[in-house]
Amino acid sequence: MRPYKKLTLVCGIISLISLGICLCLHYCFNCDEANFWVNVCLAVFGSALLTSLTSLVTYFHERRTTLENFMYHCQQLLHSLNKYQDSMSLEEKMKFFLDYHDIDKSAWDSDYGNMDFFLDRFTGARNYIYKKIYLPILQFNQAVNKHAWHFRWYFDGSGKNVPAMEIFVAQLERYLLYRDEHSVPTEYDDAGNPISFCEVTSLESKLVREIAQELNGKYFDIMYGKKGTQEQEH
């Protein structure tokens, strides 16, 4: 995607320059030598224009492929994260994060690195993808990487510190879960006023839900365009 964008721009600039020189020679100079260089410039112009158009078509193909691959690899990571359960034991949670740490994320990272959009200064597409999709997952990955060795040391017996592991797991859970603690009335008086309450903690997916919403929303529009999105829906 990135190389084809650069090739399109370079060949487009060369074709414009050669066309400008050709017109200048044709209208400002009238001799056999000038005609020779006019033909040379026309040859350069035609070759550069053809290459520019070819690379532009290839760019749009690579653009769609890169965006689809990035979405696919994001969904793979989200699918793994969606298996996390708060009801797991401490050791099960640590094993979950170790398994996630061992997932190869190089293709996901490479897909984002290959993104390069025309007129991105005005559309802000890459910056949007970075802030709303890539960065939240990257920050979670870095947090997992930070504690992976602590979990390994726990299981091999060289760092079996349960309170510390509980703190590390809780830090990682902040990326994955919303915890909402609120009071729910359990008994009422004759007037219908609550007289006793119990504390209820509700859990809701955080990272998975937020990223999935972006992938199925604005990102989908960037990938296929609004017209393409409407066609996909129908």
Side-chain angles (χ1 to χ4, degrees):
M1 184 175 176
R2 185 185 297 271
Y4 292 109
K5 175 190 172 183
K6 292 181 178 179
L7 182 60
T8 301
L9 292 174
V10 170
C11 290
I13 292 172
I14 291 174
S15 65
L16 290 175
I17 292 174
S18 60
L19 179 61
I21 295 174
C22 178
L23 293 174
C24 180
L25 291 173
H26 178 72
Y27 288 106
C28 298
F29 300 92
N30 187 14
C31 61
D32 293 338
E33 187 174 350
N35 291 333
F36 169 79
W37 288 111
V38 166
N39 291 330
V40 171
C41 290
L42 284 174
V44 173
F45 168 74
S47 299
L49 182 62
L50 179 61
T51 304
S52 180
L53 293 175
T54 303
S55 61
L56 183 63
V57 171
T58 308
Y59 164 82
F60 282 109
H61 171 74
E62 288 295 317
R63 178 185 185 277
R64 179 165 178 167
T65 300
T66 299
L67 291 174
E68 287 179 343
N69 287 342
F70 180 74
M71 183 176 188
Y72 171 73
H73 290 126
C74 282
Q75 289 173 335
Q76 280 188 317
L77 296 178
L78 297 183
H79 177 72
S80 298
L81 294 176
N82 207 34
K83 296 177 182 178
Y84 186 85
Q85 299 293 327
D86 186 61
S87 59
M88 292 176 174
S89 66
L90 178 63
E91 291 191 354
E92 286 175 333
K93 291 179 178 180
M94 288 190 291
K95 288 179 180 177
F96 174 89
F97 290 124
L98 285 176
D99 289 340
Y100 178 80
H101 173 265
D102 292 336
I103 295 175
D104 183 9
K105 306 174 186 67
S106 58
W108 168 80
D109 197 52
S110 177
D111 288 333
Y112 174 75
N114 192 37
M115 291 182 189
D116 197 359
F117 300 93
F118 284 105
L119 303 177
D120 192 49
R121 182 177 297 181
F122 303 102
T123 62
R126 194 172 192 272
N127 187 53
Y128 158 77
I129 294 171
Y130 175 78
K131 288 185 176 180
K132 294 296 184 178
I133 301 174
Y134 179 78
L135 183 60
I137 297 177
L138 178 65
Q139 289 176 333
F140 174 72
N141 292 346
Q142 291 173 339
V144 172
N145 295 342
K146 178 181 177 182
H147 296 308
W149 285 109
H150 297 138
F151 297 153
R152 296 192 195 280
W153 292 333
Y154 174 90
F155 286 113
D156 67 21
S158 59
K160 211 171 185 65
N161 187 333
V162 174
M165 298 303 109
E166 290 176 341
I167 293 173
F168 296 152
V169 168
Q171 290 175 350
L172 295 178
E173 283 185 335
R174 294 193 190 106
Y175 291 92
L176 295 179
L177 302 173
Y178 285 116
R179 291 184 181 273
D180 184 19
E181 297 184 356
H182 53 277
S183 299
V184 176
T186 55
E187 295 184 20
Y188 299 85
D189 58 20
D190 294 337
N193 298 316
I195 57 176
S196 64
F197 301 84
C198 69
E199 296 297 323
V200 176
T201 301
S202 61
L203 295 175
E204 189 177 357
S205 173
K206 182 180 180 182
L207 184 64
V208 173
R209 189 191 69 175
E210 291 176 350
I211 300 300
Q213 286 178 341
E214 298 297 340
L215 290 175
N216 295 318
K218 185 175 179 179
Y219 182 86
F220 206 83
D221 291 339
I222 293 173
M223 184 165 55
Y224 294 117
K226 292 186 177 180
K227 183 177 179 180
T229 301
Q230 293 173 355
E231 291 175 356
Q232 291 281 339
E233 291 175 350
H234 294 296

